[in-house]
Amino acid sequence: MTNDIKDLLRITEKDLTILSSHQEMINHTNTMVIEARLTNSPDRCLNCGCSAIGEEKKRNIVKNGFKKSVLRFEPYQFLPTVMRLAKQRFACRSCKSFWTLQTQLVDEFCFIATHVKLKILSLLKEKISATLIAKLCSVSVNTVLRLLRSLEDYIPGDEGIALPKVLMVDEFKSHLSVEDKMTFICADGESGKLVDILPSKKLDYLVDHFKKSPDCERVRFIVTDMNAAYFQLIPKVFKNAELIIDRFHIIKRLNDAFNEFRVREFKHLMTNGNKSAARKIKSNWRRFLKNSQNIDISTYKSWRSFPTPRFPLLTEQMMLDRLLSYSSALRLAYDCFHSLTDAIRRKDDTEFFDILQNLPLELDEDFRHILVHLMTYETGIRNAMKYPYSNGKIEAKNTHIKTLKRNLYGFKSYTNTKIRIFLLNGLIEIK
Ligand SMILES: [Zn+2]
């Protein structure tokens, strides 16, 4: 019977005997208690190495009572489970030393069974909070955090991180410290694997950090968005690298600029009398952003803004033309906006910059200003169309990090966060 319990608990230690099991209240919780004993007869003293039975059959090593300890196990059938283990103590008559028999179930000076620890470690790879892990494993939150911290040594140091050929750089909001709210993240542009996370996105810090790395020269491309000043890393650290501006960010920049202009134009029409046209432009805002190649030119329908029988049946293209006929400024901006996004989709950088250089003079000034500003990033934008790399993979990583952050109710400690993110990305291997 007691051997069956041993089997159920998957304990293979032959010196351990299970005596009984019962339920008991421990810390106001009904707990399953397994009473067990650990004993054997050693051949030699651990301290002086003398043999257990000396000359004239005199015993050198004698049993010296038991040391009791309570080991935390995984919950059994939802019942918190502990093992009350009596470990044999020995005394050596020859060198007057004492020792206690150790078990493989737990590390020395620890009360959490090794397989519970392994369970905690595997749960730390999931996007769940430490509090939930503690509850699932019937341990305290501090135990979980302590175990998490113990993985800190597995994080490679500054010099140990290998840099890839294509380095995607970005940041995410962490609110970990007051001085820098953004955490820097970089990943391999080809495999999508996480490379590193750094506590600050400040340029000086990054330059100092990357200078320590032996393979700065290996980096051939830096992929970034237009918001941050990461392109300044190229002349300072990555001397062999070329800049690539993420092409989805270029499109987003264009989208935002066009949207802002559309809102201004809506307000202008509202104050200048043509309220009905303004409202139609407002309610169809999404259609202005739709890829002009995908606009339907063959199906005739009735539209909410142009209902029959007051209006004839129209195709999507005809409806759009009608909307644009209300404002020549909008028409002009619309055409510019779509010829630019089109050039990006076709990866035609020559055409893209041709359009930018020959923008019509009547174009709205603010809108035009944003477009002209893109010329600052000419090399990066041209490279975006020339090479296949974008920041898509790092954006996906950031989404995972956001989920983790939400499930953790925010990040509190930088190191803990870094370990969790490394675990999540499989950069720390637990054996
Ligand atoms: Zn001894």
Side-chain angles (χ1 to χ4, degrees), residues 39 114 160 213 220 261 270 319:
T39 182
T114 314
S213 169
R220 294 282 322 283
F261 169 66
M270 278 306 260
M319 199 273 287

Side-chain angles (χ1 to χ4, degrees), residues 45-50 61 92-97 99:
C45 165
L46 283 188
N47 188 35
C48 68
C50 71
I61 297 167
C92 172
R93 279 175 174 160
S94 147
C95 70
K96 306 274 181 288
S97 69
W99 75 92

Side-chain angles (χ1 to χ4, degrees), residues 362-417:
E362 311 83 59
L363 197 62
D364 174 78
E365 204 170 314
D366 291 345
F367 181 58
R368 183 195 170 85
H369 185 79
I370 297 175
L371 296 189
V372 169
H373 186 65
L374 288 174
M375 307 257 256
T376 332
Y377 303 96
E378 183 165 349
T379 335
I381 294 177
R382 279 190 195 273
N383 283 340
M385 296 187 223
K386 201 161 132 196
Y387 299 105
Y389 310 116
S390 78
N391 256 1
K393 286 171 182 147
I394 208 169
E395 303 288 342
K397 290 229 141 30
N398 275 352
T399 315
H400 285 307
I401 292 172
K402 255 184 216 161
T403 320
L404 179 69
K405 184 177 155 186
R406 194 168 53 238
N407 292 352
L408 262 54
Y409 305 103
F411 296 141
K412 280 134 213 151
S413 129
Y414 169 71
T415 316
N416 290 1
T417 307

Side-chain angles (χ1 to χ4, degrees), residues 146-368:
R146 205 167 50 234
L147 211 55
L148 181 68
R149 264 301 164 103
S150 70
L151 298 173
E152 197 181 342
D153 302 338
Y154 292 93
I155 289 186
D158 291 350
E159 295 84 11
I161 290 194
L163 295 173
K165 189 180 119 195
V166 184
L167 191 70
M168 302 187 281
V169 295
D170 204 355
E171 71 253 337
F172 61 90
K173 211 178 261 174
S174 50
H175 299 295
L176 289 173
S177 66
V178 193
E179 56 172 303
D180 207 341
K181 288 191 172 70
M182 300 302 261
T183 300
F184 176 85
I185 175 168
C186 56
D188 185 334
E190 287 176 306
S191 67
K193 261 188 142 181
L194 180 73
V195 171
D196 206 357
I197 284 169
L198 300 171
S200 168
K201 63 158 204 165
K202 290 198 177 108
L203 201 62
D204 294 345
Y205 174 83
L206 295 177
V207 168
D208 274 358
H209 174 85
F210 283 117
K211 269 192 176 156
K212 287 182 209 151
S213 169
D215 41 24
C216 287
E217 313 220 316
R218 262 187 63 195
V219 180
R220 294 282 322 283
F221 298 103
I222 298 281
V223 193
T224 172
D225 55 34
M226 277 179 276
N227 306 322
Y230 300 133
F231 53 88
Q232 293 180 46
L233 284 171
I234 291 177
K236 287 184 173 148
V237 198
F238 303 113
K239 298 206 168 70
N240 296 335
E242 285 189 74
L243 174 74
I244 296 181
I245 300 280
D246 177 49
R247 56 178 176 275
F248 299 106
H249 273 92
I250 308 172
I251 294 188
K252 188 173 181 295
R253 180 65 63 94
L254 291 169
N255 266 351
D256 291 350
F258 178 75
N259 258 337
E260 274 168 35
F261 169 66
R262 184 190 43 78
V263 171
R264 277 202 306 279
E265 192 57 20
F266 161 77
K267 285 180 186 154
H268 176 75
L269 286 171
M270 278 306 260
T271 46
N272 286 297
N274 200 346
K275 289 196 172 125
S276 138
R279 281 195 202 98
K280 285 188 167 88
I281 286 174
K282 186 184 179 185
S283 61
N284 287 292
W285 68 273
R286 216 182 276 274
R287 218 164 293 276
F288 291 120
L289 300 179
K290 190 171 169 183
N291 182 350
S292 55
Q293 307 291 318
N294 297 340
I295 286 181
D296 189 347
I297 51 166
S298 57
T299 322
Y300 285 84
K301 296 203 293 188
S302 169
W303 300 88
R304 186 180 283 225
S305 301
F306 303 100
T308 48
R310 261 187 70 208
F311 293 92
L313 291 172
L314 301 169
T315 66
E316 190 177 20
Q317 183 67 60
M318 289 160 88
M319 199 273 287
L320 198 61
D321 287 340
R322 234 168 224 257
L323 288 172
L324 291 170
S325 71
Y326 294 133
S327 152
S328 57
L330 191 66
R331 171 94 240 179
L332 199 60
Y334 178 87
D335 288 342
C336 277
F337 166 62
H338 279 282
S339 45
L340 284 169
T341 47
D342 233 43
I344 298 177
R345 285 195 194 99
R346 281 185 285 108
K347 305 198 170 176
D348 190 339
D349 56 320
T350 325
E351 191 184 319
F352 185 84
F353 284 99
D354 266 359
I355 300 168
L356 279 191
Q357 264 148 9
N358 302 303
L359 288 173
L361 292 168
E362 311 83 59
L363 197 62
D364 174 78
E365 204 170 314
D366 291 345
F367 181 58
R368 183 195 170 85

